[in-house]
Amino acid sequence: MTAQLIKGSEIREEILGEIGKEVEQIKEKHGQVPGLATILVGEDPASQSYVSLKMKTAHQLGYKEIQDTRSEDISEQELLDLVEQYNKDDSIHGILVQLPLPDHINDKRVLNAIDPDKDVDGFHPVNVGRLMIGGDEVKFPPCTPAGIQEMIIRAGVETSGAETVVVGRSNIVGKPIANMMVQKGRGGNSTVTVVHTRTKDMEFHCKRADILIVAAGVPGLVKPEWIKEGACVIDVGVNRVGEKPSKKDPNKMVPILRGDVDFDAAKEIAGAITPVPGGVGPMTITMLMRNTLNSLKYKLGLM
Ligand code: GUN
């Protein structure tokens, strides 16, 4: 069996097209565009690259976008004041503080200072609580889990009554996606099991999964023999396992990325599978754009 490839890069284009149309309509009718402020502290190359991709996507969609870059030695109070400045700015509907922050800054304190109604990352405890309650209460689902659920839905995979197994229990992916898959409604109604480093027999649980979502950050953790024939496999792992010359510029080195699942073998067993790269990755920024648009829609009473 060769699995259906669930390509995040294609689904992203579909969703960005939908968002772009809505932005135009709202601009015409209400004279406003979504505004996204991204705060980047320091010069970490990976963070710089993520933030510039977010800004580029926002720009292409016609958003107002602000990239506020601050030096590594910014004080916690200065950062809190900056967050407050964007909390008060009516033209900004989404605020994102890129993680990780330097060690001298308490990231929890900074994230908790973001107005929950502008927290398009969905990391604020108020939004975590809203997600837990589910249904109409949810305002900003965290971007990677939202992207995963959207891919499963758009790939036509039945979630209702499915055995869903989540590998990993992080606050950013494992815990929220487990919660989202169990909720009533579209893309939910699954029977969910979460496995983690202390699970006695991970293989046993993975083998039962109709939908297997792997977010462990361990390259090749899930072996092909752990996958049930015909299962839907979502690989969230993006592990840098080495470097290779870039195709565009052979003098430049780019990272070699591997997922948490042995893709080549798994695709012969699974019914549907996401590749790495080009699977879950492109969906995260897409969902950030959707959350930012929705933030404006909430404000305008359109949601
Ligand atoms: N750093 C890596 N991923 C993310 C993300 O999704 N949001 C924020 N704020 N920081 C990140």
Side-chain angles (χ1 to χ4, degrees):
M1 181 171 190
T2 300
Q4 168 199 351
L5 263 191
I6 309 176
K7 290 187 188 160
S9 36
E10 283 177 9
I11 300 174
R12 168 185 61 189
E13 294 311 314
E14 221 174 275
I15 298 174
L16 291 182
E18 295 163 8
I19 293 175
K21 277 187 202 143
E22 269 201 82
V23 172
E24 272 177 30
Q25 286 165 0
I26 291 173
K27 189 175 173 185
E28 218 175 273
K29 227 173 163 184
H30 301 272
Q32 291 194 52
V33 295
L36 175 64
T38 303
I39 301 171
L40 170 66
V41 178
E43 291 176 3
D44 174 59
S47 291
Q48 281 174 335
S49 141
Y50 288 139
V51 169
S52 69
L53 255 177
K54 287 169 188 174
M55 291 295 98
K56 192 174 146 201
T57 311
H59 182 76
Q60 284 167 346
L61 288 170
Y63 288 22
K64 171 180 175 174
E65 95 281 2
I66 297 177
Q67 181 179 335
D68 201 328
T69 304
R70 300 289 163 139
S71 86
E72 184 86 20
D73 58 11
I74 187 171
S75 72
E76 187 176 293
Q77 191 54 52
E78 284 171 317
L79 193 52
L80 290 169
D81 292 345
L82 192 59
V83 168
E84 191 51 26
Q85 177 194 314
Y86 291 119
N87 280 343
K88 287 184 183 148
D89 185 336
D90 283 340
S91 69
I92 293 298
H93 312 99
I95 303 169
L96 181 144
V97 178
Q98 185 68 24
L99 301 174
L101 288 169
D103 290 344
H104 68 277
I105 295 173
N106 181 331
D107 50 10
K108 227 187 258 178
R109 204 171 291 153
V110 174
L111 294 180
N112 291 0
I114 296 173
D115 177 347
D117 291 340
K118 294 189 178 188
D119 167 41
V120 285
D121 255 330
F123 292 167
H124 192 287
V126 166
N127 285 315
V128 176
R130 286 170 172 164
L131 191 79
M132 187 64 150
I133 296 167
D136 291 350
E137 201 70 32
V138 183
K139 252 190 148 168
F140 302 120
C143 302
T144 302
I148 293 170
Q149 195 175 40
E150 197 61 45
M151 292 175 97
I152 294 172
I153 293 169
R154 290 189 188 228
V157 175
E158 180 59 84
T159 59
S160 183
E163 290 288 334
T164 293
V165 175
V166 177
V167 182
R169 53 177 162 177
S170 69
N171 287 332
I172 292 182
V173 184
K175 282 193 262 184
I177 190 63
N179 179 36
M180 290 161 78
M181 298 299 292
V182 84
Q183 299 284 0
K184 286 182 182 165
R186 178 175 170 262
N189 291 316
S190 272
T191 303
V192 178
T193 305
V194 181
V195 303
H196 46 77
T197 45
R198 297 294 175 96
T199 297
K200 283 188 183 139
D201 191 345
M202 208 182 268
E203 179 176 352
F204 166 79
H205 292 288
C206 290
K207 274 179 168 163
R208 294 188 302 107
D210 300 312
I211 300 172
L212 182 59
I213 300 169
V214 192
V218 180
L221 174 73
V222 170
K223 308 288 176 270
E225 60 273 21
W226 295 14
I227 294 167
K228 181 168 149 182
E229 181 100 23
C232 168
V233 179
I234 307 289
D235 189 350
V236 191
V238 184
N239 306 293
R240 290 171 184 235
V241 295
E243 285 193 325
K244 62 179 181 188
S246 158
K247 273 188 197 151
K248 278 189 204 151
D249 176 3
N251 294 319
K252 203 179 141 201
M253 297 301 277
V254 291
I256 301 172
L257 302 177
R258 288 264 185 283
D260 291 349
V261 179
D262 175 353
F263 177 80
D264 288 333
K267 76 176 195 310
E268 302 304 323
I269 305 161
I273 190 166
T274 58
V276 176
V280 175
M283 294 299 292
T284 301
I285 295 180
T286 307
M287 293 297 123
L288 175 70
M289 297 303 132
R290 188 153 88 177
N291 279 350
T292 308
L293 169 64
N294 285 349
S295 181
L296 173 59
K297 286 169 73 178
Y298 287 123
K299 192 181 143 199
L300 293 171
L302 302 175
M303 279 187 89

